[in-house]
Amino acid sequence: MSTIRLIEEKDKEEWINLFSGPDGYLVFYKSTLPNNVIETTFNRFLDKDEPVNAAVAIDDSTGKIIGFANYVTHRNTWAIGDSLYLNDLFVSGESRLKGIGRKLIEFIYTEADRLKCEKTYWQTQFENHRAQLLYTKVGEKAGFLTYKRPSE
Ligand SMILES: CC(C)(COP(=O)(O)OP(=O)(O)OC[C@H]1O[C@@H](n2cnc3c(N)ncnc32)[C@H](O)[C@@H]1OP(=O)(O)O)[C@@H](O)C(=O)NCCC(=O)NCCS
């Protein structure tokens, strides 16, 4: 069994390990980030004045963090209420296919309601079929492509 809750200061080491450690989220994306970015992101989760937050999934039997959902809220020109953007979703390799990803997204929906966000959305890579098997059950395809400013 697992429990989903908002992130707390005591989670720092485990969250950083799951985010950027050897079997973590950044490795899944074949990416790295400088330590000061990771530290700043974590500190923002704890700062009530920052629109950045995270939920963590805890394995009830070990008390360890086995997943997270990092999210930001922001203004939207099409609504009075804010939007919630699910920035990162991750479940550790050995804990997958047990409903934890679904529970994290459902928790995010509850957060969106609490924060009076009128829209909740996220993006995924075209080739991430595994994630899409979950997303088609808990969400609906928005039908937009994402573009970005070219890298220098
Ligand atoms: C995507 C990810 C978060 C999903 O987490 P998870 O805990 O394994 O997901 P869940 O067990 O809650 O949900 C999986 C759902 O998809 C379905 N599913 C997943 N893989 C499947 C497969 N190979 N065949 C059939 N169904 C599958 C399951 O049936 C389940 O549906 P259900 O809730 O109705 O039973 C996890 O795989 C992960 O962290 N992947 C690496 C990082 C990543 O891709 N993050 C998302 C970036 S956008």
Side-chain angles (χ1 to χ4, degrees):
M1 292 290 287
S2 60
T3 302
I4 315 292
R5 61 159 172 78
L6 288 175
I7 203 160
E8 297 174 12
E9 194 159 6
K10 66 180 180 194
D11 300 326
K12 183 171 183 178
E13 195 182 328
E14 285 185 44
W15 178 85
I16 288 181
N17 190 45
L18 213 52
F19 187 70
S20 60
D23 300 314
Y25 182 70
L26 294 183
V27 170
F28 174 81
Y29 277 111
K30 299 181 175 59
S31 296
T32 55
L33 284 173
N35 284 340
N36 67 330
V37 172
I38 297 169
E39 284 275 331
T40 299
T41 293
F42 187 85
N43 290 339
R44 284 176 174 164
F45 295 153
L46 306 178
D47 184 343
K48 293 279 168 280
D49 294 328
E50 285 284 344
V52 187
N53 212 336
V56 287
I58 313 288
D59 181 329
D60 291 336
S61 58
T62 62
K64 298 283 180 206
I65 298 177
I66 49 173
F68 58 73
N70 308 328
Y71 54 99
V72 296
T73 57
H74 63 84
R75 295 296 197 207
N76 185 323
T77 57
W78 283 35
I80 305 293
D82 281 351
S83 292
L84 186 152
Y85 176 62
L86 174 57
N87 211 136
D88 314 295
L89 178 73
F90 186 73
V91 173
S92 69
E94 59 275 19
S95 303
R96 288 181 194 155
L97 287 177
K98 294 178 185 162
I100 295 163
R102 175 189 277 269
K103 273 171 95 170
L104 281 163
I105 290 181
E106 286 169 355
F107 186 91
I108 291 304
Y109 287 165
T110 310
E111 271 298 279
D113 291 341
R114 184 180 72 82
L115 297 167
K116 297 188 171 28
C117 291
E118 295 187 34
K119 178 180 172 184
T120 299
Y121 69 108
W122 61 93
Q123 51 189 351
T124 192
Q125 291 174 311
F126 286 110
E127 61 272 24
N128 194 342
H129 301 293
R130 184 166 180 170
Q132 289 167 50
L133 284 167
L134 169 61
Y135 299 161
T136 53
K137 291 181 174 175
V138 297
E140 58 185 18
K141 226 177 197 176
F144 284 86
L145 290 172
T146 304
Y147 282 77
K148 66 182 184 74
R149 183 175 181 171
S151 309
E152 293 295 314

